[in-house]
Amino acid sequence: MTKTLTRLKYIFLGLFLLSSAGVLAYHAAWVWPKDRCEANGGAWAGKWLKCAAVYPIETWTRRPAGTPALNNQKADGPTATAPTKAAPVQPENP
């Protein structure tokens, strides 16, 4: 009986150590690099485990901001002609 309990003790200790090592490896490979990347203003690409720089679309297309859409397409972002949100109405005190 004591051999069985000793064997079970070592099995559960091994499982605990393996799961602890797995959690540590997950944090070292995924969580901590992602936190560092986002703290520096980057975008985390989880599929490739890389940190990327964020560039505005005007950098790539070389079109100035606020240029109307081409071929009568709907603009994706906010435009200068978009209506502004009205301020909430304050109730009157009687």
Side-chain angles (χ1 to χ4, degrees):
M1 183 73 167
T2 58
K3 285 175 89 176
T4 305
L5 290 177
T6 304
R7 185 180 319 134
L8 279 173
K9 180 174 57 174
Y10 288 134
I11 288 173
F12 281 112
L13 180 65
L15 287 173
F16 173 75
L17 291 175
L18 282 174
S19 62
S20 297
V23 168
L24 183 65
Y26 171 74
H27 273 75
W30 184 274
V31 176
W32 296 330
K34 180 182 179 206
D35 290 343
R36 272 195 311 270
C37 175
E38 291 175 350
N40 291 332
W44 180 250
K47 184 176 180 180
W48 300 282
L49 299 178
K50 299 222 182 224
C51 187
V54 179
Y55 292 104
I57 191 69
E58 289 84 13
T59 303
W60 296 103
T61 60
R62 296 186 179 159
R63 292 180 68 202
T67 304
L70 301 174
N71 300 330
N72 295 327
Q73 294 175 349
K74 182 179 153 190
D76 290 335
T79 60
T81 60
T84 58
K85 191 173 184 179
V89 177
Q90 297 292 333
E92 294 181 19
N93 292 333

